Amino acid sequence: MPITVINSFASWVLKQRIHQIELFLKYPNEVQEELLMNLIRASENTIIGKQYDYESIHSYATFSERIPVSTYEELQPLIERTRKGEQNVLWETPIKWFAKSSGTTNAKSKFIPVSPEALEDCHYKAGKDLLCMYLNNNENSEMFLGKSLRLGGSAQIYEDNNTLFGDLSAILIENMPLWADFSSTPNKGISLMSDWETKLPAIINEVKNENVTSFAGVPSWMLVLMNKLLTETGKGNLLELWPNLEVYFHGGVNFEPYRDQYQKILPKKDFKYYEIYNASEGFFAIQDLNYSSDLLLMLDYGIFYEFIPMDTFGTPNQKTIRLSDVELFKNYAIIITTNSGLWRYMIGDTVRFTSLNPYRIRVTGRTKHHINVFGEELMVENTDQAIAKACQITGTEMVDYTVAPIFMKDKEKGAHEWIIEFKKNPTDITLFQKVLDETLQSLNSDYEAKRYNNMTLNPLIINIARPHLFYDWLKDKHKLGGQHKIPRLSNERDYLEQLKSMQVIVHQ
């Protein structure tokens, strides 16, 4: 089919959607208020709806006063009832799918309900919006002349109590429309393989002979695949293998620490990188402009947003605000209410707003993945930017890292201890350490204050990890591939000590 016909059809689809996007851009708070009331009205006769008398809730004020903010553990009893086949518990329509997610903060699996509405009106709607926005910004795109390489989680679909569970990516692939499956590679059978070390060569064997024009996945794992692919094919860069490659859709971890490595294997000045922000609980934001790091918060996917300012998070003064009350450049924990029955659910992510008209955000980290032992309020966004700059200045490349505090003891001051695995070790680790520390101070005034004259914090300490340390740690925890991520920051030393204990293990 000629590219003009394909792009004309895509433009037609965009025009059908654009007035709805313009509606929430023009009236964001009204769209969110109406959405909340629709969620409440739809759930009046559910078990949770009767528990909190949803029928009498007609305003956000009543909703926020009556319904508590909940963690997964607090909603789990009701989720488990649904998993065992009971319906009309959290949501009005039958739920048979559950996205299994262990996250990185808890070894215990989470089972996130995925309703038919969430599949159609959130996840798949977001996928179409992403493509439409990209094509709207790149009218001469030839992306649809080739295939999209997808790298999802390593999980099969399992059945239990007449309900089904697996990684969200596996659920999406299983329910994907035929046209989308036909335009994707690898095939469904390979995409759903559960063992990463078997899956990787199978992916390479299939995709190396395809005309890949776009790819999508988590940057850290995608880089493993791409480097392995180049080694297997003997190509110098990805454009030698796929000359029509034009865009990478990425999410899951901050892209900045990996940007230089991608630019080396994709030596094309106008190559596009598009970021998305999604999770098992929903699809939240999309990069809607070329060459931007800001993500447009999507307000009509059946998700109502609230926020907790991080300066009050976890304190007796913790407060929850709605979208209309957020401020620029402050860190917030996200609270969501969804069309899968997650009511005032604390997802665990933090964001800051870079624009209020329209609402655009950047993901800054996790509520449990920051360091504030000494009042330094260090976020993952800070460490990702700092390590990217240190790598750039010292001409090195990073595989992964994690950071933990060294607690004050007797008269000793505190510090931050890093374990960094390099693809290419810095020739001058002292310079790397200096750039890293100084960049953190320039990005974070609280950290700078604690480092001033070594008043509270001594200089950071860097351990250079042996090759494959993080891979082996994830393998040991059965978390290889797809959606699994290294916990970058922690207020405790558990992750760091586990990694240090594995330093002497020789990689097989």
Side-chain angles (χ1 to χ4, degrees):
M1 186 181 292
I3 190 63
T4 52
V5 175
I6 296 173
N7 283 358
S8 294
F9 176 73
S11 297
W12 178 81
V13 172
L14 174 66
K15 287 174 183 175
Q16 309 309 304
R17 171 72 174 126
I18 200 71
H19 74 280
Q20 296 172 321
I21 294 175
E22 288 174 345
L23 182 66
F24 79 67
L25 290 177
K26 190 173 182 180
Y27 304 106
N29 302 309
E30 292 83 353
V31 166
Q32 277 279 282
E33 293 288 324
E34 181 181 0
L35 188 154
L36 175 62
M37 289 301 114
N38 288 341
L39 293 175
I40 291 171
R41 297 285 77 81
S43 304
E44 288 178 359
N45 294 317
T46 62
I47 287 172
I48 196 169
K50 291 177 180 177
Q51 179 183 348
Y52 291 107
D53 190 15
Y54 280 14
E55 191 174 356
S56 68
I57 297 177
H58 298 282
S59 69
Y60 171 73
T62 306
F63 171 77
S64 61
E65 289 169 4
R66 190 177 299 176
I67 316 301
V69 172
S70 299
T71 62
Y72 177 82
E73 287 72 23
E74 289 163 332
L75 281 180
Q76 186 183 21
L78 292 175
I79 292 174
E80 281 302 303
R81 288 172 65 173
T82 308
R83 279 199 69 214
K84 292 177 179 176
E86 187 176 353
Q87 297 298 342
N88 217 36
V89 178
L90 289 162
W91 187 242
E92 61 166 348
T93 55
I95 293 177
K96 71 172 184 177
W97 292 98
F98 292 83
K100 184 180 179 183
S101 170
S102 62
T104 51
T105 60
N106 193 335
K108 187 175 182 179
S109 294
K110 298 178 181 179
F111 294 90
I112 306 298
V114 181
S115 68
E117 292 85 352
L119 279 174
E120 291 299 326
D121 300 333
C122 183
H123 293 289
Y124 290 138
K125 185 177 181 180
K128 287 180 280 189
D129 281 353
L130 173 63
L131 295 177
C132 286
M133 287 178 185
Y134 175 75
L135 290 174
N136 190 49
N137 295 332
N138 303 278
E139 293 180 354
N140 297 320
S141 168
E142 297 185 350
M143 181 174 64
F144 286 123
L145 289 182
K147 291 194 173 185
S148 175
L149 191 161
R150 59 191 178 191
L151 183 60
S154 299
Q156 300 279 3
I157 299 295
Y158 300 94
E159 186 170 355
D160 189 25
N161 301 314
N162 294 316
T163 60
L164 300 160
F165 66 90
D167 279 6
L168 175 68
S169 55
I171 293 172
L172 295 179
I173 290 170
E174 185 70 25
N175 290 278
M176 191 174 285
L178 283 175
W179 66 267
D181 194 42
F182 178 75
S183 64
S184 300
T185 188
N187 64 57
K188 183 186 290 188
I190 293 174
S191 294
L192 294 177
M193 289 175 68
S194 58
D195 181 67
W196 170 255
E197 293 179 321
T198 305
K199 181 177 183 175
L200 186 60
I203 293 175
I204 291 170
N205 190 53
E206 178 169 321
V207 303
K208 66 183 180 182
N209 297 315
E210 295 282 8
N211 175 28
V212 174
T213 53
S214 67
F215 58 104
V218 176
S220 51
W221 289 109
M222 185 63 77
L223 195 59
V224 172
L225 170 62
M226 294 307 182
N227 284 328
K228 184 74 171 173
L229 183 65
L230 291 175
T231 301
E232 292 287 322
T233 59
K235 302 294 185 182
N237 62 65
L238 293 178
L239 299 175
E240 292 179 11
L241 184 64
W242 299 315
N244 301 314
L245 196 60
E246 61 178 77
V247 61
Y248 173 29
F249 300 106
H250 62 86
V253 298
N254 192 327
F255 186 62
E256 285 310 308
Y258 303 99
R259 185 178 296 277
D260 284 351
Q261 294 182 64
Y262 273 95
Q263 288 175 343
K264 286 180 182 177
I265 61 175
L266 288 162
K268 183 180 179 182
K269 287 185 177 180
D270 60 349
F271 187 84
K272 307 296 191 306
Y273 298 91
Y274 263 61
E275 185 172 353
I276 60 174
Y277 173 31
N278 67 334
S280 298
E281 293 85 353
F283 207 120
F284 311 123
I286 296 172
Q287 178 183 328
D288 63 319
L289 301 170
N290 287 338
Y291 312 113
S292 173
S293 298
D294 299 336
L295 308 180
L296 181 68
L297 192 63
M298 305 303 288
L299 303 179
D300 64 348
Y301 287 175
I303 300 173
F304 178 77
Y305 294 98
E306 297 174 88
F307 304 89
I308 300 174
M310 283 302 289
D311 55 9
T312 68
F313 183 82
T315 72
N317 298 320
Q318 178 174 301
K319 61 177 181 178
T320 305
I321 61 175
R322 53 184 162 177
L323 185 62
S324 57
D325 297 323
V326 299
E327 300 175 29
L328 285 173
F329 309 123
K330 288 186 67 172
N331 274 309
Y332 295 100
I334 302 182
I335 308 299
I336 58 172
T337 293
T338 78
N339 54 5
S340 279
L342 297 176
W343 297 94
R344 304 198 84 197
Y345 177 85
M346 191 182 301
I347 190 172
D349 290 340
T350 60
V351 301
R352 61 181 170 87
F353 284 83
T354 58
S355 167
L356 301 182
N357 184 26
Y359 287 105
R360 286 197 174 96
I361 62 171
R362 292 190 186 184
V363 182
T364 56
R366 300 276 295 167
T367 55
K368 293 184 179 180
H369 287 185
H370 67 287
I371 300 181
N372 193 31
V373 173
F374 312 103
E376 65 272 51
E377 285 288 355
L378 198 66
M379 307 295 292
V380 171
E381 183 186 37
N382 303 146
T383 56
D384 278 348
Q385 289 182 28
I387 203 166
K389 184 173 181 180
C391 284
Q392 188 176 51
I393 288 177
T394 60
T396 189
E397 296 176 357
M398 178 216 65
V399 175
D400 232 316
Y401 74 90
T402 194
V403 192
I406 298 174
F407 298 105
M408 294 179 177
K409 189 176 182 181
D410 299 326
K411 294 183 180 181
E412 285 294 316
K413 297 172 184 174
H416 289 172
E417 184 173 5
W418 293 61
I419 293 184
I420 307 173
E421 183 180 335
F422 295 99
K423 182 180 177 183
K424 175 185 176 185
N425 285 345
T427 54
D428 187 345
I429 190 64
T430 303
L431 175 61
F432 186 95
Q433 181 182 24
K434 182 175 183 290
V435 174
L436 183 62
D437 189 46
E438 289 178 353
T439 306
L440 286 172
Q441 293 184 52
S442 71
L443 293 170
N444 186 312
S445 58
D446 291 321
Y447 179 81
E448 180 183 34
K450 301 304 180 291
R451 283 284 297 115
Y452 180 73
N453 285 339
N454 299 339
M455 190 176 296
T456 304
L457 286 175
N458 280 326
L460 59 85
I461 294 171
I462 295 177
N463 300 287
I464 298 179
R466 64 170 173 81
H468 310 292
L469 176 64
F470 287 96
Y471 184 96
D472 289 345
W473 184 79
L474 287 169
K475 184 177 181 178
D476 185 61
K477 296 187 174 298
H478 308 290
K479 291 186 176 184
L480 284 181
Q483 310 302 306
H484 298 300
K485 301 177 282 288
I486 294 293
R488 293 277 169 86
L489 305 182
S490 176
N491 277 322
E492 304 296 333
R493 291 184 58 84
D494 296 3
Y495 301 127
L496 187 131
E497 293 296 346
Q498 290 171 22
L499 286 158
K500 287 178 74 173
S501 72
M502 296 180 70
Q503 271 279 52
V504 296
I505 299 175
V506 177
H507 180 71
Q508 300 296 321

